[in-house]
Amino acid sequence: MENINAGYIALGIVGVIFFSLQCWWLSMTIRNGRNKRVLKNQNQTEEIKKRLEKVFLKN
């Protein structure tokens, strides 16, 4: 087996770290988008509940 230059090893390590950080960043971005949608839906649900309570309390 030939000698591998230390620069290639360092470049490979940096590449692996960069790739893993990119995957982490994408997963966090997707997860945060889902959380915002869930919070928005919960707020809408609370608003609908309040409206329904007002309607049924009037009757």
Side-chain angles (χ1 to χ4, degrees), residues 12 16 18-19 24-25 28 32-33 37 41 50 53:
V16 168
F18 179 77
F19 180 75
W24 172 79
W25 179 78
M28 292 301 291
N32 287 337
R37 270 189 263 137
N41 288 339
K50 289 178 184 176
E53 286 175 355

Side-chain angles (χ1 to χ4, degrees), residues 1 6 16 33 36 39-41 44-45 48 54 58-59:
M1 188 149 87
V16 168
K36 285 182 182 177
L39 289 174
K40 185 176 180 181
N41 288 339
Q44 289 174 350
T45 303
I48 291 170
K54 286 181 184 178
K58 288 181 181 178
N59 291 330

Side-chain angles (χ1 to χ4, degrees), residues 14-56:
V14 169
V16 168
I17 292 171
F18 179 77
F19 180 75
S20 62
L21 286 174
Q22 288 294 315
C23 291
W24 172 79
W25 179 78
L26 283 171
S27 67
M28 292 301 291
T29 302
I30 292 169
R31 191 175 300 145
N32 287 337
R34 288 181 185 162
N35 288 343
K36 285 182 182 177
R37 270 189 263 137
V38 167
L39 289 174
K40 185 176 180 181
N41 288 339
Q42 285 177 347
N43 290 340
Q44 289 174 350
T45 303
E46 290 298 321
E47 185 178 324
I48 291 170
K49 284 181 184 178
K50 289 178 184 176
R51 286 183 186 175
L52 288 173
E53 286 175 355
K54 286 181 184 178
V55 167
F56 287 114

